[in-house]
Amino acid sequence: MDVQALLLAGQVLVVALVYLFVWRVVRSARGGLLGDTVTAPRRGRGKGAAPAPMSMASQESTIIPVADVQAARRSAGLADPRLVVLESDVLRAGIPFTVGGGLTIGRAAANDVVLDEGVVSGRHVRIVPPGTVVDEGSTNGTLVNGRPAQGRVALRDGDSLQVGSTVFRYEAPR
């Protein structure tokens, strides 16, 4: 076989693979934008192993700006979740903090909620809408309902969140 023919076949194969890749990326992004369901991977190889639909609503949005999400929630009459201080050595009890597009808690001034305590890390924890706690590798940890938060922990209405001496109650909109 001629070398030129092999090179041409290789080029055609590369172009076909690039086209397939771009098509899959566009299809995936379009599904995420339109809120379509995603198909979970099959768990077996038999005929009974049908894919299960998964909702995209529980994921963080990297496509829609936070301001647009907040505006849509307000126009639909939905209130933003919030954290309310129950007890603290540095904050007054009863102060509410709206989670909105997310909330960071820590000792550094750049945080949304500043807790000036030695046991609180510079960027201690963040709350990701609609109500997920993500400990940012803090030295002394974060407690959710008295238990250490490891990885991502979902909050439910009435759950407690403790950072240093400060205990918050999570209030989810109804």
Side-chain angles (χ1 to χ4, degrees):
M1 184 175 242
D2 181 67
V3 174
Q4 293 293 339
L6 284 175
L7 288 174
L8 180 62
Q11 289 174 341
V12 169
L13 180 64
V14 167
V15 168
L17 289 174
V18 168
Y19 174 77
L20 179 66
F21 173 75
V22 169
W23 177 75
R24 297 275 308 209
V25 168
V26 168
R27 192 177 101 188
S28 176
R30 181 180 177 272
L33 284 172
L34 297 177
D36 296 343
T37 57
V38 182
T39 304
R42 293 178 183 251
R43 296 252 184 243
R45 294 184 179 225
K47 288 184 179 179
M54 300 181 332
S55 171
M56 298 281 284
S58 63
Q59 297 181 358
E60 291 180 49
S61 175
T62 56
I63 298 172
I64 302 172
V66 171
D68 292 348
V69 172
Q70 290 173 329
R73 288 183 58 82
R74 280 192 296 276
S75 69
L78 299 174
D80 286 325
R82 64 188 195 160
L83 292 176
V84 178
V85 178
L86 293 180
E87 57 185 73
S88 176
D89 291 345
V90 293
L91 297 175
R92 185 174 43 86
I95 298 175
F97 295 96
T98 303
V99 173
L103 195 68
T104 58
I105 302 171
R107 192 175 62 238
N111 289 294
D112 299 310
V113 180
V114 178
L115 301 176
D116 192 15
E117 295 183 74
V119 295
V120 176
S121 297
R123 182 169 168 141
H124 197 96
V125 67
R126 67 185 162 108
I127 311 299
V128 179
T132 303
V133 173
V134 181
D135 187 278
E136 297 282 39
S138 63
T139 304
N140 294 308
T142 303
L143 301 177
V144 175
N145 294 327
R147 292 191 166 147
Q150 296 180 357
R152 300 170 77 85
V153 178
L155 291 171
R156 285 178 265 145
D157 188 41
D159 282 354
S160 69
L161 172 71
Q162 183 172 353
V163 178
S165 72
T166 305
V167 179
F168 300 94
R169 179 181 61 242
Y170 178 72
E171 293 180 353
R174 300 205 189 275

